[in-house]
Amino acid sequence: MTESGMERYRLPMFPLGSVLFPELGLPLRVFEPRYRQMMAECLDGDRCFGVVLIERGSEVGGGEVRLRVATVAQILDVTPQDDGTLGIFAVGTGRVDVLEWLPDAPYPAAMVSPLSDNDDFGEAFEAAVTAITKRLRSTLAQRTEANLPAAPATIDLSPNLGIALWQVCALVPATAFDDYGLLAARCASDRLVALEDLLDASADQVRFHLG
């Protein structure tokens, strides 16, 4: 998946049981000493770290198995707590391909290379995002009526189509591994197809729930 000629660099990594999409925010409570050290070093540098989904294992204690595509998060705000923990707010800035995991010394880090979508964001893309957004709102409303978990159907989306598509990815009813599939999709067009499949699955769930 690595793009030819793209840079390769070291990135501190924060494994989580959920996916961070580009352009979206991430609140974290950092309590493990190794991750407090990681955040301190990030703040002394470019304020960036990677967020990667755990395939197997736990967020706490180490030894987890991690997936390959991650999101770069940039720290926007830090709030030290009285108990020594840190409140972190970061925002996703882009995707990276994990080329090599480095030893946890003491926190996870990897050699990564940037990933980007190579789509033509023209009229066809605008129409596709508009259609998927309309279908998402309908799906969320139906799930609310069926007493199934759902975000509010009235939630505001960005006028920027690229950001709006990532917001749709975050709002569509899905598992963490479904979210990873959306994150790791080769391009926005593939992401739209995957979103249609997830909305189909949600419609089936609503019908089953309503009997």
Side-chain angles (χ1 to χ4, degrees):
M1 299 179 65
T2 305
E3 299 179 8
S4 177
M6 295 298 285
E7 65 178 308
R8 171 188 172 106
Y9 65 99
R10 179 187 178 276
L11 184 66
M13 301 295 285
F14 201 113
L16 286 177
S18 57
V19 168
L20 171 64
F21 292 111
E23 308 293 347
L24 302 187
L26 174 69
L28 284 174
R29 176 176 169 267
V30 181
F31 57 90
E32 285 191 74
R34 58 180 179 153
Y35 289 119
R36 294 204 301 269
Q37 178 180 335
M38 185 182 88
M39 293 302 170
E41 292 178 11
C42 288
L43 290 168
D44 286 338
D46 62 5
R47 302 175 73 92
C48 289
F49 62 95
V51 175
V52 63
L53 182 64
I54 296 170
E55 183 177 18
R56 295 191 305 277
S58 169
E59 292 182 353
V60 179
E64 69 281 339
V65 178
R66 309 149 190 160
L67 292 172
R68 176 165 176 168
V69 176
T71 303
V72 179
Q74 185 172 38
I75 299 170
L76 299 185
D77 186 64
V78 181
T79 307
Q81 305 296 319
D82 292 340
D83 61 1
T85 64
L86 295 174
I88 299 288
F89 184 79
V91 64
T93 63
R95 302 182 303 148
V96 290
D97 185 23
V98 176
L99 307 177
E100 176 189 0
W101 284 103
L102 303 174
D104 289 11
Y107 55 77
M111 298 302 297
V112 303
S113 184
L115 291 171
S116 62
D117 292 340
N118 296 315
D119 287 87
D120 178 9
F121 290 173
E123 292 183 2
F125 179 75
E126 180 177 0
V129 174
T130 299
I132 202 75
T133 299
K134 181 178 180 180
R135 189 175 177 202
L136 172 69
R137 292 192 188 283
S138 176
T139 295
L140 296 177
Q142 290 168 3
R143 290 181 68 87
T144 298
E145 291 173 3
N147 293 316
L148 291 170
T154 55
I155 192 167
D156 290 332
L157 299 183
S158 172
N160 180 298
L161 294 176
I163 296 175
L165 182 55
W166 286 121
Q167 290 175 318
V168 171
C169 289
L171 292 169
V172 70
T175 68
F177 291 105
D178 292 328
D179 286 344
Y180 178 78
L182 294 170
L183 178 71
R186 181 182 56 87
C187 59
S189 297
D190 289 352
R191 199 163 291 120
L192 284 162
V193 172
L195 283 168
E196 291 284 1
D197 290 342
L198 289 171
L199 291 170
D200 287 343
S202 179
D204 290 341
Q205 186 182 13
V206 169
R207 283 192 292 268
F208 178 82
H209 186 76
L210 293 177

